[in-house]
Amino acid sequence: MNQEVIIVRGNRALAGDVSVAGAKNSALKLMAASLLGQGVTVLHNVPLISDIEIMSEVLERLGATVVRDGHTLTIDTASVDCCETPYELVSKMRASISVLGPLIGRFGEARVAMPGGCQIGARKIDMHLVGLEALGVHFDVDHGVLEATTPHGMKGTHVYLEFPSVGATENMLMAAVTAEGHTAIENAACEPEIEDLANMLNAMGAKVSGAGSSLIEIEGVPLSAMHPCEHTTVGDRIEAGTFLVGGALTGGPVTVHGIDPAFLRMAIMKLRAMGCDVETGDDWVRVSRTEPLASVDIQTLPHPGFPTDLQAQFMLLAALADDVSVITENVFENRFMFAAELMRMGADVTLDDHHAIVRGVAELEGAPVSSTDLRAGAALVLAGIVADGETSVHHLEHIDRGYEDYVGKLASLGADIRRVSADSVAG
């Protein structure tokens, strides 16, 4: 496919209303959970992004049928008879490892290719395995393929995760719903997407309580008690946060619809600390700013701490703030690759291990830049909106993984932005 680039002319204009899609990080796991339904599950509010296409392919490879109608997916897993996911799909998207738990929950076995590295860090799956082993799952690695079996069935257990890993919590949750007896996951991830997954599992016949807190409890049910359901994905808090940063950059007002403000408590707190006015309603957040941006210190932490997925966007805000901000990345070790691209546009950032010291500058300059990961790509496009001159953002495949019609939504808010083939730019 011909490479495309996003061309942005800095016009500092973003204002109006925008609606976010369903949460990428929820929809992918809900799709995996449909395997436990053994029938026709209907998912609403599913974003039109490339990661969803890959997960659809994973499910189809297992024997499911997946039909999309707008933002609704109909997934029939009744005829799934395979429990192996191949490397070429897992290598495209690490989230496909999330079929491990539901495959074990349904078949008592699974073969899943080991995920390779990731642009923003190794994201080891050790914790997935420790939790599942405690349930009675046995693992072997054969030529890069993780083979899971349950020679004595799965029994409920008590697990304390050494880190509140989202993936490990989700995989263990989806396996434990059909384990015999009571399971408790302590130090579980508390992200809203975990709660969304638990709500869907309960609608399918599972007995999960405590999701959204650090202690999740599961009363196992027989697989025969699990059935398909209809479920609506929660709004994407990271997409929402990205547009709120856009409003903060330009002054707004920008109103983001389709999101529970409680999902963004820490981000909203930091926006206010930087001099923004933030209003909230039941399912919307509005940001505006008339004062200069103030510096802020941020450290990323698991939810309800500041989300690592909004770190690049807030580094951009800090780059244009008065004085010095310090950003500490505690979740992914390579998340600061974005800083080098922002520095090409004139930002003053000094990296020291997992700290970034950001000294505010008066303005940024348009430049050719590359998306280093999903969130960095989105932030670079926002940088182009406030930079002097023209910015071209390359490697859009990263942005396409998690933002539905990003260019169209920004254009609707007033950005001077277009998506073109790389050839036309080179010419």
Side-chain angles (χ1 to χ4, degrees):
M1 191 184 86
N2 177 34
Q3 286 271 319
E4 291 184 310
V5 298
I6 290 174
I7 306 293
V8 195
R9 290 202 65 79
N11 65 356
R12 296 175 173 78
L14 281 185
D17 293 65
V18 65
S19 294
V20 296
K24 169 182 92 84
N25 291 335
S26 200
L28 292 169
K29 316 308 166 62
L30 301 175
M31 292 172 72
S34 71
L35 290 163
L36 291 163
Q38 313 153 81
V40 180
T41 288
V42 179
L43 293 178
H44 300 292
N45 201 28
V46 178
L48 288 151
I49 54 174
S50 61
D51 269 13
I52 296 292
E53 291 173 20
I54 295 168
M55 185 59 93
S56 296
E57 201 177 331
V58 169
L59 293 175
E60 286 168 346
R61 194 71 68 91
L62 293 169
T65 58
V66 184
V67 178
R68 182 188 273 283
D69 179 12
H71 290 95
T72 295
L73 285 188
T74 302
I75 307 170
D76 187 350
T77 61
S79 56
V80 169
D81 55 0
C82 166
C83 49
E84 178 168 2
T85 58
Y87 175 72
E88 78 259 19
L89 292 178
V90 177
S91 64
K92 283 184 189 175
M93 184 185 67
R94 293 182 53 92
S96 50
I97 193 75
S98 60
V99 297
L100 182 62
L103 284 175
I104 294 168
R106 177 162 171 179
F107 296 107
E109 60 178 315
R111 284 174 52 86
V112 178
M114 292 280 280
C118 174
Q119 284 286 79
I120 52 173
R123 300 212 245 188
K124 297 178 178 64
I125 62 165
D126 303 1
M127 279 182 287
H128 297 236
L129 309 190
V130 168
L132 292 168
E133 281 174 339
L135 287 167
V137 182
H138 177 75
F139 289 103
D140 285 307
V141 178
D142 179 28
H143 297 285
V145 174
L146 193 63
E147 297 190 343
T149 53
T150 50
H152 306 293
M154 282 195 294
K155 302 283 193 296
T157 188
H158 192 117
V159 169
Y160 188 97
L161 295 177
E162 62 177 271
F163 177 84
S165 158
V166 173
T169 301
E170 289 165 338
N171 253 330
M172 194 173 173
L173 178 56
M174 289 189 277
V177 294
T178 64
E180 184 185 326
H182 178 264
T183 297
I185 309 172
E186 274 199 82
N187 199 27
C190 302
E191 274 70 4
E193 294 81 12
I194 301 278
E195 195 171 352
D196 197 27
L197 173 61
N199 288 341
M200 174 166 158
L201 289 169
N202 285 339
M204 296 169 77
K207 294 180 178 175
V208 181
S209 59
S213 77
S214 60
L215 174 62
I216 299 177
E217 301 195 69
I218 304 134
E219 293 296 335
V221 300
L223 179 65
S224 58
M226 297 292 288
H227 51 78
C229 73
E230 190 165 349
H231 183 83
T232 299
T233 314
V234 295
D236 195 312
R237 63 196 169 97
I238 306 303
E239 185 190 4
T242 303
F243 286 117
L244 291 174
V245 166
L249 274 172
T250 63
V254 168
T255 306
V256 180
H257 299 269
I259 189 67
D260 182 343
F263 292 179
L264 286 164
R265 277 193 297 260
M266 186 62 71
I268 288 171
M269 196 170 91
K270 294 298 182 183
L271 285 171
R272 286 177 173 146
M274 296 185 84
C276 299
D277 295 314
V278 185
E279 301 169 68
T280 60
D282 288 345
D283 66 346
W284 58 267
V285 182
R286 178 180 299 120
V287 66
S288 57
R289 179 177 61 84
T290 53
E291 305 295 317
L293 282 165
S295 59
V296 71
D297 290 347
I298 286 172
Q299 55 174 324
T300 65
L301 287 166
H303 193 80
F306 188 89
T308 182
D309 281 353
L310 286 176
Q311 182 255 100
Q313 299 89 316
F314 273 76
M315 183 185 287
L316 168 58
L317 279 179
L320 290 163
D322 290 341
D323 215 352
V324 180
S325 302
V326 179
I327 298 176
T328 303
E329 175 55 65
N330 295 310
V331 181
F332 291 134
E333 62 266 34
N334 294 340
R335 253 277 144 83
F336 285 150
M337 290 191 298
F338 165 73
E341 295 302 305
L342 198 57
M343 288 158 71
R344 287 172 55 80
M345 299 179 73
D348 183 350
V349 184
T350 304
L351 300 181
D352 179 12
D353 192 28
H354 64 297
H355 305 287
I357 296 92
V358 188
R359 293 174 179 83
V361 297
E363 68 172 12
L364 297 175
E365 296 176 357
V369 289
S370 288
S371 306
T372 51
D373 65 66
L374 166 55
R375 307 306 170 182
L380 288 167
V381 174
L382 293 181
I385 292 170
V386 291
D388 183 43
E390 186 173 279
T391 298
S392 56
V393 183
H394 300 253
H395 294 291
L396 305 188
E397 67 276 7
H398 291 298
I399 296 173
D400 291 342
R401 285 187 47 227
Y403 290 88
E404 177 183 320
D405 190 23
Y406 192 46
V407 167
K409 289 181 179 182
L410 287 171
S412 76
L413 293 172
D416 183 350
I417 185 170
R418 65 192 195 280
R419 184 168 174 150
V420 299
S421 75
D423 291 348
S424 68
V425 176

